[in-house]
Each structure stands twice: as structure tokens, then as C-alpha cells.
């Protein structure tokens, strides 16, 4: 079975500062990994995903994430935070090509951005 | 535009009553999912369906029921057996397996009064 751990339920940054949201996974085989963003009282929106190939993945809104197999990590970064980035972020994992596998989500990290 | 529609946005239910949450998609996706979201607990899978007339229990299926009579629709019924139904419910769909990731609806907030 696969699982995801997001370190830190809340992360606070100043506008213009680096954003780093941490995600570690546990999987018996190389997984597919996803980051989603959720604004208050809305559904989740896909930011980026890693399947195969290049380990540095670029997504929407200036976010990117790097798959590091040796560290079992898929941390999300953005060089400069904007006020509009304040939201909750979820990391998710699935096992590729495994039939009825579903996405397993982490508990989420709330990003707070101060002026 | 293609997407997933959940209705209603807000729902109030008296204790002891069953209530059905609607989820419709026009993306021609085969698979559909229901998740429950509580503060600090992330998303927990209730039920999912890969094809019409077939569905599987997720991690927290007790007190819930679903049907999949049409490809486009996957309604969730919260029964009176669900001990703590107040939560935010999210419906999602995917092309086939979860390899492609999910498209989510905007959610239904259920409150038991």
C-alpha cells in the first residue's frame, strides 16, 4: 500500500519569499505523484504531476516539484510567494498501471502568506 | 465546458434522515470517486466506481451508499447510520485509472442540525 506524509500542517511565509511544502511518500514501486491546491470551500485543482521521465516537474502558477527517489520525496516549491498563493495544498500518490488503484492523499498543508 | 457538477453547495439535514448528494460529469470519464474532507484529516475515500453498475468501498464506506446507473452520474447517499456526517464532500472523476489524476467538483458542505 502507498502513503503520503506532508510535514507541517501550516506553513507561513512573507510575500516574495520562497515557498517550500514538503511531501514524503511510501510505495512498494516507483509511484506517480501529484500536487493539488484547494481554495476555501472549493474543490481541488491539479498543480502538477510526476509520472515518468524528467524528475523536475513544472506546474501552473509558477510552482515546481522535484521527484527524489533516494529521499522518497516530492517537495513543492515556488521562488516568490504571492498573496494569491494562500490556500491548502495536498500531495497525493498512486501506483501506476495497477488496475483499481486510487489516489491516496496527504493531510494537507495550509500556506499562509503575509504582506 | 466540460466538468463535474456537485449539488447542492450547502445541505442541512436533521438527525435520522437520509440525504443524497448529486455528482454529474460531462467529461466522458470512466471512473468516479467520493471523498470526505474534515479539517486536519485530508481526504478520505468513501466509494469509487470504475465502470457503470460496479463500485467498490473505500476506507470509510460505513453509513454511506452509492449507485452508478449511468456513466455521467454517481450519487452518494448519507444514511442515518453515519454517526458523524457533518463534513465537506468532494466528488472526482478520472479518464481511467488514477494514473491520470482526478478532476474534482466544487464540493457539498453537509451539516447535520
Amino acid at each position: 500500500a502507498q502513503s503520503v506524509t506532508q510535514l507541517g500542517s501550516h506553513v507561513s511565509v512573507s510575500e516574495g519569499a520562497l515557498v517550500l511544502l514538503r511531501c514524503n511518500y511510501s510505495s512498494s514501486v516507483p509511484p506517480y505523484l501529484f500536487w493539488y491546491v484547494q481554495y476555501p470551500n472549493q474543490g481541488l485543482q491539479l498543480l502538477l504531476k510526476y509520472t515518468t521521465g524528467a524528475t523536475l516537474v513544472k506546474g501552473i502558477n509558477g510552482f515546481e516539484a522535484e521527484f527524489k527517489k533516494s529521499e522518497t520525496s516530492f517537495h513543492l516549491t515556488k521562488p516568490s510567494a504571492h498573496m494569491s498563493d494562500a490556500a491548502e495544498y495536498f500531495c497525493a500518490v498512486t501506483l501506476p498501471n495497477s488496475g483499481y488503484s486510487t489516489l491516496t492523499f496527504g493531510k494537507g498543508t495550509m500556506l499562509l502568506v503575509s504582506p | 465546458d466540460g466538468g463535474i457538477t456537485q449539488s447542492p453547495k450547502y445541505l442541512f439535514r436533521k438527525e435520522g434522515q437520509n440525504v443524497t448528494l448529486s455528482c454529474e460529469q460531462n467529461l466522458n470519464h470512466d471512473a468516479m470517486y467520493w471523498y470526505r474532507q474534515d479539517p486536519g484529516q485530508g481526504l478520505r475515500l468513501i466509494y469509487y466506481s470504475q465502470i457503470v453498475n460496479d463500485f467498490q468501498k473505500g476506507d470509510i464506506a460505513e453509513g454511506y451508499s452509492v449507485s452508478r446507473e449511468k456513466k455521467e452520474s454517481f450519487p452518494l447517499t448519507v444514511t442515518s447510520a453515519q454517526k458523524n456526517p457533518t463534513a465537506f464532500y468532494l466528488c472526482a472523476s478520472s479518464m481511467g485509472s488514477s494514473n491520470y489524476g482526478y478532476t474534482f467538483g466544487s464540493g457539498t458542505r453537509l451539516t447535520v442540525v
Side-chain angles (χ1 to χ4, degrees):
Chain A
Q2 67 273 24
S3 66
V4 166
T5 300
Q6 292 185 239
L7 297 176
S9 59
H10 291 79
V11 169
S12 295
V13 300
S14 299
E15 194 172 19
L18 171 72
V19 175
L20 171 61
L21 304 181
R22 300 179 186 273
C23 173
N24 288 89
Y25 68 89
S26 173
S27 173
S28 56
V29 299
Y32 286 0
L33 293 156
F34 304 80
W35 275 101
Y36 284 85
V37 61
Q38 185 183 33
Y39 298 99
N41 292 312
Q42 295 186 26
L44 277 67
Q45 178 184 5
L46 181 66
L47 275 177
L48 50 80
K49 64 181 178 182
Y50 169 78
T51 54
T52 58
T55 56
L56 181 62
V57 181
K58 295 186 184 299
I60 62 172
N61 301 338
F63 285 93
E64 62 182 36
E66 186 170 12
F67 172 65
K68 292 187 176 181
K69 184 178 178 181
S70 61
E71 299 177 8
T72 62
S73 69
F74 190 57
H75 301 331
L76 182 70
T77 61
K78 182 174 180 178
S80 176
H82 295 162
M83 296 296 290
S84 60
D85 294 326
E88 191 160 22
Y89 292 80
F90 293 92
C91 184
V93 62
T94 190
L95 301 181
N97 305 318
S98 56
Y100 280 77
S101 178
T102 60
L103 282 184
T104 299
F105 288 85
K107 293 186 183 298
T109 298
M110 185 68 73
L111 177 65
L112 307 170
V113 182
S114 57
Chain B
D1 287 337
I4 298 181
T5 301
Q6 289 187 243
S7 61
K9 181 76 172 174
Y10 299 94
L11 188 57
F12 296 88
R13 189 196 89 175
K14 293 183 179 179
E15 279 194 37
Q17 289 182 340
N18 293 353
V19 63
T20 298
L21 282 60
S22 172
C23 178
E24 303 275 337
Q25 54 99 358
N26 60 4
L27 298 165
N28 199 33
H29 284 175
D30 292 313
M32 298 186 74
Y33 312 82
W34 275 105
Y35 283 87
R36 170 180 172 143
Q37 186 177 17
D38 298 280
Q41 297 200 43
L43 278 70
R44 294 182 290 168
L45 183 64
I46 305 173
Y47 269 98
Y48 63 104
S49 168
Q50 297 282 1
I51 56 174
V52 174
N53 293 322
D54 187 40
F55 48 83
Q56 288 76 42
K57 292 182 179 180
D59 301 317
I60 56 166
E62 185 175 352
Y64 299 98
S65 66
V66 293
S67 63
R68 187 85 187 277
E69 297 177 0
K70 299 186 300 181
K71 187 176 184 178
E72 301 80 17
S73 179
F74 192 41
L76 173 73
T77 296
V78 184
T79 74
S80 57
Q82 169 51 233
K83 300 302 182 189
N84 184 21
T86 295
F88 191 54
Y89 292 86
L90 287 161
C91 179
S93 68
S94 64
M95 270 194 289
S97 72
S98 56
N99 290 357
Y100 302 98
Y102 298 165
T103 300
F104 281 86
S106 57
T108 292
R109 186 165 299 280
L110 173 64
T111 303
V112 175
V113 297

